[in-house]
Amino acid sequence: DREQVRLAARLSKADLKSGVVGEFPELQGTMGRYYALHDGHPKAVADAIAEHYSPKGPDDRCPSAPVSVAVALAEKIDTLVGFWAIDEKPTGSKDPFALRRAALGIIRLVVENKLRLSLGAAFDQAAAQQSPSVRAQWKPESRADLLAFFAERLKVHLKERGVRHDLVAAVFALTGEDDFVRLLARVDALQAFLATEDGADLLVRSEEHTSELQSHHDLVCRL
C-alpha cells in the first residue's frame, strides 16, 4: 500500500523530537509506533515506524511486512547515497555514521525477502530526491563505487554461509550484477559446478595457467 508507505516514511522520525526519546534514545522507533497507534494510524504504518531502523545487526530480526521493508530500505538507501554523493565514506576502521551496518541491513532486507531489485537504479532514484547541491555531486563513479562497497559487504554476509568470497568477486566482476537475488543464484550455481569433477579440473587448469602467467611476468621484470 503506497499511501501507507508514504505515511510511515513521513512519520518515521517524528518521535526523535519527543521528550521520551530525548531522554532514552534507544526507544526511537518504539515510541513512534505507540504515538502512531494512539493517533489512529493503521497497524502496518505503526509497525513500519518501529522497524525502519532494522535490521541493526546480524542478530537483529529482519522486517518482512511489505510496508516495513519498503520504509527500511528507503531509509538506508537514502542515507548511503547521500553520504556517497558528498564523498563521506567509511575509511579503515572508522565508520561514525554506521554506513557498513546500513549496507548489511539492505543486503539482509533484499536477500531474506527475496526482492528483485536493481540497486544501481534505486541509488539513482534516491540521488534524484536529494537537495540540488547534493544531487549535483552524484556521479556515475559514485554509483559504481557504492556498488563495489556493497559487493565487499556481501562477501562478509556470505562468509557465514560458507561461501567463498572469490566466487562472489568472480560473478560480480563478470556481470556487474546488482540484483542480489540473481547474483546469489549465480554464485550458488558456480559453487555447485566447482564441486563437480569438471569444475575441479577447470579450477586446476586455471591455477596452472595463472602460475604460468606469473612466471612469464617475473621473467619480463627480470629482463
Side-chain angles (χ1 to χ4, degrees):
D1 187 316
R2 293 188 179 189
E3 289 307 314
Q4 288 189 351
V5 171
R6 291 188 180 101
L7 179 59
R10 189 160 62 247
L11 298 176
S12 61
K13 306 293 185 182
D15 65 346
L16 298 181
K17 295 292 288 183
S18 68
V20 176
V21 175
E23 187 71 23
F24 304 101
E26 66 274 13
L27 293 180
Q28 62 185 14
T30 300
M31 290 309 302
R33 180 179 186 276
Y34 284 120
Y35 294 144
L37 290 173
H38 178 271
D39 287 350
H41 293 300
K43 184 177 181 297
V45 171
D47 289 344
I49 293 171
E51 296 177 335
H52 82 280
Y53 293 106
S54 298
K56 299 176 183 177
D59 300 322
D60 191 27
R61 188 182 69 83
C62 185
S64 58
V67 177
S68 298
V69 171
V71 179
L73 272 175
E75 194 262 352
K76 293 170 180 58
I77 290 173
D78 177 70
T79 297
L80 285 163
V81 167
F83 277 104
W84 246 254
I86 63 173
D87 201 28
E88 279 288 341
K89 298 173 285 189
T91 55
S93 61
K94 294 182 180 180
D95 187 12
F97 303 107
L99 301 182
R100 292 188 181 97
R101 186 176 70 185
L104 285 170
I106 290 173
I107 289 170
R108 284 193 59 195
L109 285 162
V110 169
V111 172
E112 293 182 28
N113 289 289
K114 295 181 171 57
L115 302 179
R116 302 304 306 276
L117 172 71
S118 168
L119 278 179
F123 295 159
D124 288 340
Q125 289 178 16
Q129 305 302 316
Q130 299 284 342
S131 65
S133 60
V134 175
R135 189 165 63 241
Q137 298 181 69
W138 179 256
K139 308 293 183 186
E141 295 79 13
S142 309
R143 182 179 188 261
D145 189 59
L146 185 51
L147 282 173
F149 178 76
F150 266 83
E152 292 301 316
R153 303 281 71 74
L154 186 61
K155 292 175 189 177
V156 173
H157 176 73
L158 293 178
K159 186 177 181 181
E160 299 175 358
R161 285 177 41 184
V163 178
R164 288 167 36 185
H165 68 85
D166 57 332
L167 301 187
V168 180
V171 172
F172 195 85
L174 181 64
T175 64
E177 184 66 78
D178 64 351
D179 178 333
F180 283 177
V181 172
R182 188 162 53 196
L183 185 148
L184 293 182
R186 287 175 169 171
V187 169
D188 289 341
L190 179 58
Q191 185 167 244
F193 171 69
L194 292 178
T196 66
E197 185 176 340
D198 287 341
D201 182 59
L202 178 64
L203 199 58
V204 169
R205 290 171 180 267
S206 176
E207 290 172 350
E208 290 175 349
H209 181 61
T210 301
S211 177
E212 183 179 347
L213 286 175
Q214 184 62 48
S215 297
H216 290 167
H217 176 268
D218 292 344
L219 176 59
V220 169
C221 289
R222 286 196 297 271
L223 293 174

